[in-house]
């Protein structure tokens, strides 16, 4: 095991090497559900000694305490795997030609022998092998933190249960974070923010919420400005690249790829399952409330998102007239009173409905005429 781990930490990095660093992921399974994810630097080509690769390998080992984690995993097998240890990888690690970023939640026995849940994260510059600090992501980090804390206070704290023992989200920590195509995720330690299942909490901020604070010299500038606008009327029946969460997919199949809420919310005609992954907060899928099949075997008849910038439509920002200028007059306008809105899990306001070939696009506005939710619905089963 020790030889295997040592090889993983720095995979075949040649004595003379100078080129792009690449990080490889290796999953090591233990007894039961116990597992460890090990990150290593892959082989690459070059001519000069590569100190950057060595720096990256050392950062990966130290930050994620990989050798200690493997030893804990080995002991779990000796003890019969009667307890759960290992990592909750809430989202896949991100890597492009410039950066590598990963977050890890370690649940169970910690390297110091105490049970609990700890969060660790690392973002690496793949040219230098050095860690990218939070402050270097923004033109004005203080202003960015202020905006992020305002989002937490407005959108997160009101929805946290009064029965949650650990829910100290403010001030927001900036020392444990990761990034991916969707946005920036901040992780909390379990003595500050802990979910009912004992796992440390986290909050993801979408790039559109942070773009104004990110300059062209930021290592995440391309991520924050990556959206390519498409023809909304030709968009597929899902958001982003999450096809498994799209229209007509079976709920059970979606649940195998994404964590869904155990208990649904309800509209008049559907059951609404939220996606319990921090970078998909605001995304939910719907199935028929009175379907003859079990929920897992019922096809998704609608998908909705209340925090999204999608094909030029941005919740919390896009105004009614902007939508009409872009898409034309809607096929139907529905007005929801407070009671009617509650029945559909909306805020009071109007919905602009556009009948497309394969589904109905519902753009729900709040009472100020600002886009609050985007919903794609199956025409036959929902409308």
């Amino acid at each position: 095991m020790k030889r295997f781990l040592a090889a993983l930490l720095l995979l075949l990095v040649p004595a003379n090497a100078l080129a792009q660093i690449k990080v490889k992921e290796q999953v090591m399974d233990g007894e039961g559900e116990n597992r460890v994810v090990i990150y290593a630097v892959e082989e690459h080509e070059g001519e000069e000694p590569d100190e950057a690769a060595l720096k990256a390998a050392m950062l990966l080992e130290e930050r994620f305490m990989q050798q200690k984690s493997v030893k804990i995993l080995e002991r779990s097998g000796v003890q019969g795997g009667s307890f759960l240890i290992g990592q909750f990888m809430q989202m896949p690690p991100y890597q492009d030609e410039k950066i590598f970023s990963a977050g890890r939640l370690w649940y169970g026995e910690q390297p110091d022998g105490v049970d609990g849940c700890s969060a660790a994260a690392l973002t690496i510059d793949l040219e230098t092998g050095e860690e990218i600090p939070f402050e270097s992501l923004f033109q004005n980090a203080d202003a960015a933190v202020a905006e992020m804390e305002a989002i937490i206070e407005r959108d997160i704290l009101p929805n946290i249960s009064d029965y949650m023992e650990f829910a100290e989200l403010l001030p927001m920590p900036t020392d444990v974070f990761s990034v991916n195509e969707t946005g920036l995720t901040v992780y909390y330690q379990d003595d500050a923010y802990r979910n009912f299942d004992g796992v440390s909490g986290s909050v993801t901020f979408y790039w559109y919420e942070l773009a104004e604070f990110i300059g062209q010299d930021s290592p995440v500038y391309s991520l924050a400005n990556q959206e390519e606008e498409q023809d909304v009327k030709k968009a597929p029946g899902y958001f982003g690249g999450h096809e498994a969460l799209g229209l007509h997919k079976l709920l059970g199949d979606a649940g195998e790829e994404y964590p869904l809420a155990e208990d649904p919310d309800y509209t008049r005609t559907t059951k609404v399952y939220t996606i319990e992954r921090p970078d998909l907060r605001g995304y939910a899928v719907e199935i028929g409330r009175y379907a003859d099949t079990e929920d897992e075997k019922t096809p998704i008849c609608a998908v909705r998102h209340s925090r999204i910038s999608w094909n030029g439509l941005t919740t919390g920002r896009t105004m009614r007239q902007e939508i009409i200028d872009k898409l034309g007059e809607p096929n139907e306008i529905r007005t929801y009173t407070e009671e009617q809105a509650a029945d559909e899990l909306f805020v009071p306001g109007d919905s602009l409905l556009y009948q497309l070939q394969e589904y109905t696009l519902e753009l729900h506005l709040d009472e100020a005429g600002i886009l609050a939710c985007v919903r794609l619905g199956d025409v036959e089963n929902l409308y």
Side-chain angles (χ1 to χ4, degrees):
M1 178 66 72
K2 291 182 179 179
R3 292 180 179 178
F4 175 69
L5 180 59
L8 278 176
L9 294 180
L10 192 56
L11 281 176
L12 302 178
V13 175
N16 294 313
L18 178 62
Q20 198 72 38
I21 301 170
K22 292 184 179 180
V23 179
K24 181 178 180 179
E25 174 184 342
Q26 175 72 40
V27 178
M28 301 176 63
D29 292 319
E31 296 289 335
E33 299 181 27
N34 298 342
R35 67 180 181 133
V36 172
V37 178
I38 299 296
Y39 295 113
V41 176
E42 281 190 328
E43 179 182 5
H44 53 274
E45 301 176 356
E47 299 178 352
E48 298 295 331
D50 193 334
E51 296 182 4
L54 292 171
K55 287 181 181 179
M58 291 178 63
L59 277 172
L60 290 164
E61 166 57 25
E62 293 172 0
R63 183 59 48 82
F64 298 127
M65 295 182 287
Q66 301 189 138
Q67 294 189 52
K68 291 182 179 179
S69 299
V70 170
K71 290 180 181 179
I72 294 174
L73 184 71
E74 290 176 320
R75 288 206 307 273
S76 74
V78 173
Q79 298 176 23
S82 58
F83 58 95
L84 177 64
I85 62 118
Q87 285 148 320
F88 282 76
M89 307 305 293
Q90 291 185 304
M91 60 195 80
Y94 175 78
Q95 186 167 201
D96 58 25
E97 69 279 2
K98 294 182 179 180
I99 65 172
F100 166 84
S101 188
R104 181 219 67 180
L105 299 178
W106 177 268
Y107 182 81
E109 182 184 344
Q110 303 297 304
D112 61 5
V114 178
D115 283 344
C117 184
S118 61
L122 180 64
T123 300
I124 297 176
D125 184 321
L126 294 179
E127 293 183 357
T128 66
E130 296 178 349
E131 181 174 3
I132 298 174
F134 180 90
E135 292 75 16
S136 70
L137 303 181
F138 305 101
Q139 292 177 307
N140 185 331
D142 290 340
V145 170
E147 175 64 19
M148 295 162 82
E149 290 187 336
I151 291 172
I152 290 174
E153 190 166 13
R154 183 187 70 233
D155 298 340
I156 307 298
L157 292 179
N159 297 314
I160 289 182
S161 171
D162 294 335
Y163 297 100
M164 190 172 289
E165 182 178 3
F166 298 93
E168 297 295 329
L169 278 71
L170 298 175
M172 185 193 77
T174 59
D175 56 336
V176 186
F177 72 92
S178 68
V179 301
N180 66 5
E181 300 96 327
T182 300
L184 182 151
T185 298
V186 172
Y187 302 87
Y188 292 79
Q189 303 304 336
D190 64 356
D191 60 351
Y193 179 21
R194 184 192 308 172
N195 295 312
F196 287 118
D197 58 5
V199 176
S200 297
S202 59
V203 177
T204 294
F205 304 91
Y206 287 179
W207 288 126
Y208 78 85
E209 298 174 310
L210 304 176
E212 66 180 290
F213 306 103
I214 297 173
Q216 294 187 9
D217 58 346
S218 169
V220 295
Y221 177 79
S222 60
L223 283 172
N225 294 273
Q226 64 183 323
E227 184 176 5
E228 294 183 5
E229 190 169 328
Q230 301 175 342
D231 183 349
V232 173
K233 296 183 178 181
K234 295 182 180 179
Y238 53 87
F239 299 116
H242 307 289
E243 186 174 358
L245 296 173
L247 292 175
H248 308 147
K249 301 292 184 180
L250 296 182
L251 183 70
D253 292 342
E256 289 183 2
E257 294 195 36
Y258 296 86
L260 304 180
E262 291 186 10
D263 300 315
D265 293 315
Y266 295 90
T267 71
R268 293 178 299 102
T269 59
T270 68
K271 297 179 182 180
V272 182
Y273 285 87
T274 56
I275 316 303
E276 295 191 329
R277 205 172 89 170
D279 63 332
L280 292 176
R281 183 166 54 87
Y283 198 147
V285 297
E286 304 181 42
I287 61 173
R289 183 170 180 173
Y290 305 107
D292 296 330
T293 51
E294 297 178 359
D295 285 5
E296 292 76 10
K297 298 180 180 179
T298 303
I300 295 170
C301 64
V303 297
R304 63 166 70 196
H305 213 314
S306 60
R307 289 179 67 243
I308 191 171
S309 184
W310 180 72
N311 297 322
L313 303 172
T314 303
T315 54
R317 300 186 184 184
T318 301
M319 303 291 291
R320 183 191 196 106
Q321 192 57 49
E322 293 178 75
I323 295 173
I324 295 175
D325 290 344
K326 182 180 181 64
L327 300 180
E329 292 292 336
N331 297 93
E332 181 183 350
I333 298 176
R334 293 183 182 176
T335 298
Y336 291 87
T337 64
E338 185 171 350
E339 182 178 353
Q340 292 170 331
D343 287 341
E344 291 301 312
L345 302 178
F346 287 151
V347 296
D350 290 344
S351 277
L352 310 183
L353 276 70
Y354 293 86
Q355 299 294 340
L356 309 183
Q357 184 173 357
E358 297 182 358
Y359 55 81
T360 294
L361 170 63
E362 182 172 6
L363 302 174
H364 185 71
L365 313 174
D366 63 18
E367 291 180 309
I370 301 173
L371 182 64
C373 185
V374 180
R375 189 190 204 187
L376 306 175
D378 183 79
V379 177
E380 295 181 0
N381 297 324
L382 187 64
Y383 297 103

